[in-house]
């Protein structure tokens, strides 16, 4: 195999709770993660000369070791003594630095693609073991689907699939520092924890409204005061008929769950008319078949 083309899917957090901070700086979390059908296109090609080359449609994206996709390729090259080089072409559609795990998903695609392209014979669990060395979200991006994440995000348990629904994703034109959000969270006492167990119950019952009513993200209490537009987007989605709306990850992206695509498209028009966000997408839940 000389090349492989993959879809690198985004994720949203149906629930995100922070339980504490470890001495090494990592946080213990309890999250319900869900992939959605918004994706980057990742193409891997073998090169005869050693090295790693990254090409992207975004001029501001780093194309060296600062890019997690580069680190993923380098990790496998060094471990397995791969002498051929690899060219990674990233056609980005997932908003960058947006709480959607776009970079982690790119890294997951590179691990998966290089395993296939170079015939390394790694299982999904073995790929995930390597992924956690790159970032806490990478193992999940290899696993995909509806998943409970605990520990620092690397302890994963597959859950019953999310009921099908339309998903509206809107990223306002601002940047949020994940580190700054967690530092601000550490400096205060968490007043209310999200109802993660309620989400799990809703998934077991395949009850979309129960899931939406239980959704919560503890980081909203930190990020929204910094960027009130996040609350404005949530409100616009709810006014347009969202069953539930919430910030994903540390933000600033907001997602809304809708019973049908026409309602989601109406909300998209509302958000654009109010100039709350330019990157607005209607998409679907992406589920993984359970064996």
């Amino acid at each position: 195999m000389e090349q492989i083309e993959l879809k690198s899917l985004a994720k949203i957090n149906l629930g995100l709770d922070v339980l504490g901070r470890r001495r090494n700086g990592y946080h213990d979390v309890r999250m319900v993660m869900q992939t959605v059908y918004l994706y980057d296109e990742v193409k891997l090609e073998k090169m005869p000369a050693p090295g790693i080359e990254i090409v992207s449609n975004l001029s501001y994206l780093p194309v060296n070791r600062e890019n997690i996709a580069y680190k993923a390729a380098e990790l496998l090259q060094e471990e397995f003594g791969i002498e051929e080089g690899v060219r990674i072409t990233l056609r980005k559609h997932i908003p960058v630095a947006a709480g959607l795990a776009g970079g982690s998903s790119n890294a997951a695609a590179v691990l998966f693609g290089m395993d296939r392209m170079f015939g390394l014979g790694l299982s999904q669990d073995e790929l995930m073991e390597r992924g956690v060395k790159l970032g806490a979200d990478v193992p999940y991006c290899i696993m995909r689907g509806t998943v409970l994440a605990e520990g620092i995000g690397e302890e994963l348990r597959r859950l019953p699939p999310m009921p099908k629904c339309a998903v509206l994703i809107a990223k306002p034109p601002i940047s949020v520092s994940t580190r700054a959000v967690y530092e601000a969270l550490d400096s205060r006492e968490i007043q209310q924890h999200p109802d993660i167990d309620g989400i799990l119950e809703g998934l077991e019952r395949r009850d979309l409204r129960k899931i939406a009513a239980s959704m919560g993200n503890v980081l909203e209490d930190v990020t929204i005061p910094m960027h009130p537009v996040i609350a404005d987007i949530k409100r616009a989605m709810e006014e347009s008929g969202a069953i539930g709306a919430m910030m994903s990850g540390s933000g600033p992206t907001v997602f809304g769950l809708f019973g049908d695509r026409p309602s989601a498209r109406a909300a998209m028009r509302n958000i654009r008319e109010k100039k709350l966000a330019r990157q607005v997408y209607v998409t679907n839940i992406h589920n993984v078949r359970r064996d």
Side-chain angles (χ1 to χ4, degrees):
M1 186 183 294
E2 294 300 310
Q3 67 179 49
I4 187 170
E5 297 183 23
L6 301 163
K7 292 176 179 176
S8 161
L9 272 61
K11 66 85 186 167
I12 56 175
N13 297 94
L14 300 174
L16 194 165
D17 197 6
V18 177
L19 307 179
R21 184 176 184 273
R22 298 183 180 184
R23 290 183 179 179
N24 60 8
Y26 284 98
H27 290 79
D28 283 298
V29 295
R30 194 165 186 243
M31 306 183 291
V32 179
M33 318 266 271
Q34 175 65 53
T35 36
V36 294
Y37 208 67
L38 173 64
Y39 59 86
D40 294 337
E41 299 165 73
V42 181
K43 181 179 180 181
L44 305 180
E45 302 170 88
K46 288 182 181 177
M47 298 191 302
I52 300 166
E53 178 183 324
I54 293 184
V55 180
S56 173
N57 62 320
L58 300 182
S59 59
Y60 55 84
L61 201 73
V63 294
N64 52 22
R65 285 186 177 85
E66 292 181 24
N67 191 310
I68 192 171
Y70 187 109
K71 294 177 183 177
E74 188 176 54
L75 186 152
L76 292 183
Q77 280 184 337
E78 291 180 353
E79 179 180 354
F80 291 94
I82 298 171
E83 296 182 359
E84 292 169 285
V86 61
R87 178 184 292 113
I88 304 168
T89 302
L90 301 176
R91 186 161 182 79
K92 300 285 290 181
H93 305 289
I94 302 171
V96 175
L100 298 172
S104 295
S105 185
N106 293 165
V110 169
L111 292 176
F112 180 90
M114 287 191 62
D115 174 59
R116 297 300 184 273
M117 198 163 65
F118 291 100
L120 305 181
L122 297 172
S123 67
Q124 184 181 82
D125 285 346
E126 289 170 330
L127 287 172
M128 289 165 62
E129 287 170 10
R130 286 152 179 83
V132 75
K133 299 175 184 177
L134 301 167
D137 280 344
V138 178
Y140 167 73
C141 291
I142 293 169
M143 191 176 194
R144 294 179 171 181
T146 314
V147 171
L148 177 67
E150 296 179 292
I152 62 168
E154 87 289 7
E155 297 174 18
L156 305 177
R157 175 165 66 88
R158 192 169 297 287
L159 299 171
M162 176 77 173
K164 290 183 178 179
C165 61
V167 182
L168 179 62
I169 291 174
K171 180 190 178 291
I174 56 175
S175 297
V176 172
S177 165
T178 299
R179 175 176 290 183
V181 168
Y182 274 95
E183 286 176 353
L185 184 74
D186 290 338
S187 68
R188 58 192 290 174
E189 183 179 347
I190 296 174
Q191 298 296 323
Q192 186 172 354
H193 289 273
D195 185 10
I196 302 296
D197 289 335
I199 299 172
L200 302 185
E201 182 183 338
L203 289 168
E204 287 286 350
R205 287 164 32 187
R206 297 195 58 75
D207 184 340
L208 184 60
R209 292 194 175 275
K210 171 64 175 175
I211 294 165
S214 303
M215 291 193 316
N217 181 346
V218 74
L219 300 180
E220 282 190 341
D221 291 341
V222 175
T223 309
I224 288 178
M226 296 178 181
H227 304 286
V229 68
I230 295 169
D232 295 337
I233 295 173
K234 286 182 62 177
R235 193 176 306 113
M237 288 187 182
E238 290 163 352
E239 289 171 353
S240 299
I243 300 169
M246 195 177 79
M247 183 181 81
S248 186
S250 57
T253 301
V254 177
F255 70 89
L257 305 180
F258 292 80
D260 56 75
R261 289 181 75 88
S263 299
R265 291 191 180 280
M268 177 173 67
R269 290 193 294 272
N270 184 22
I271 289 167
R272 284 181 171 162
E273 286 169 4
K274 291 182 176 180
K275 296 182 171 26
L276 297 174
R278 284 176 294 186
Q279 291 179 283
V280 191
Y281 310 91
V282 176
T283 185
N284 300 308
I285 292 294
H286 173 270
N287 283 322
V288 174
R289 189 174 68 185
R290 302 176 79 192
D291 296 327

